[in-house]
Amino acid sequence: MDSFQSVVFSLIEFNHRYKNFPEEMTIISYELKRQRFEKLHFPTAKELMLPTAGSDEDVSWQGVPTFIGIDPRELQEYSKYEKRDAMAELEAQKFDLWKGSPFGRSPELMMKKKGRNVWNIDLGYPLVFTGGPELVAALEREAKERSEEHTSELQSPVL
């Protein structure tokens, strides 16, 4: 999942378990991603109409998002400022990509999704992006479970 899908997945999973949406959401990630979450992902998530568990009604999440930024230890050392500056520049480029494609559908962001798609989910399937983010979460969860079952089958001795 990418950063935006992680936000939406969390909302949908919470709703699925508790039959409502959270009043608050806290994301802990690298400080350099703060702008991406606060200016892009959280507002985009609030615009989505999400299905509600136990109801035929779609609603938008209006909870309070909070971002807690951390820096990797390696970037806190004085000698690592050059690396930190390079990472900040890379994040600025990613921010611009996400700004131009809030749902992560640009060719560059799709390439990144494909690189992370260890379960080989069909990212071109239209419902994955246009039919609802809950489908993305369900497909990823199902693929992970299948992968875990396959792994356990491979580890079981044949008698």
Side-chain angles (χ1 to χ4, degrees):
M1 280 192 280
D2 59 38
S3 53
F4 177 68
Q5 286 174 317
S6 295
V7 170
V8 175
F9 174 81
S10 298
L11 292 171
I12 292 167
E13 192 65 21
F14 188 96
N15 180 262
H16 177 75
R17 290 176 189 226
Y18 302 107
K19 311 296 185 239
N20 62 7
F21 288 99
E23 292 179 16
E24 299 178 33
M25 172 188 280
T26 302
I27 298 287
I28 301 171
S29 187
Y30 292 134
E31 177 61 35
L32 56 90
K33 293 183 177 184
R34 178 181 296 276
Q35 296 296 315
R36 185 191 324 175
F37 279 91
E38 289 181 347
K39 295 190 186 261
L40 301 174
H41 295 335
F42 291 146
T44 301
K46 286 186 170 203
E47 292 175 13
L48 287 175
M49 296 302 289
L50 301 169
T52 58
S55 171
D56 293 333
E57 191 175 319
D58 291 349
V59 299
S60 62
W61 174 65
Q62 296 304 312
V64 177
T66 301
F67 183 89
I68 298 174
I70 59 171
D71 283 325
R73 285 189 184 110
E74 64 186 43
L75 297 183
Q76 294 173 356
E77 297 174 21
Y78 182 78
S79 62
K80 302 294 182 175
Y81 284 140
E82 193 172 294
K83 184 174 182 179
R84 180 171 41 198
D85 291 345
M87 288 179 67
E89 175 64 29
L90 181 61
E91 177 57 27
Q93 293 170 8
K94 289 180 184 175
F95 180 90
D96 288 342
L97 287 173
W98 278 102
K99 187 175 181 183
S101 181
F103 295 99
R105 296 285 293 151
S106 71
E108 297 89 349
L109 292 172
M110 287 301 292
M111 288 282 289
K112 188 168 183 177
K113 284 180 202 283
K114 287 177 185 175
R116 291 181 167 176
N117 188 6
V118 296
W119 300 296
N120 296 317
I121 297 167
D122 181 6
L123 297 175
Y125 187 67
L127 289 178
V128 170
F129 295 99
T130 60
E134 73 281 5
L135 185 57
V136 174
L139 289 172
E140 289 178 343
R141 189 170 47 248
E142 180 181 318
K144 181 178 179 185
E145 289 170 1
R146 276 188 278 143
S147 175
E148 289 170 353
E149 287 173 9
H150 180 68
T151 302
S152 67
E153 289 173 7
L154 293 176
Q155 293 172 351
S156 300
V158 178
L159 301 175

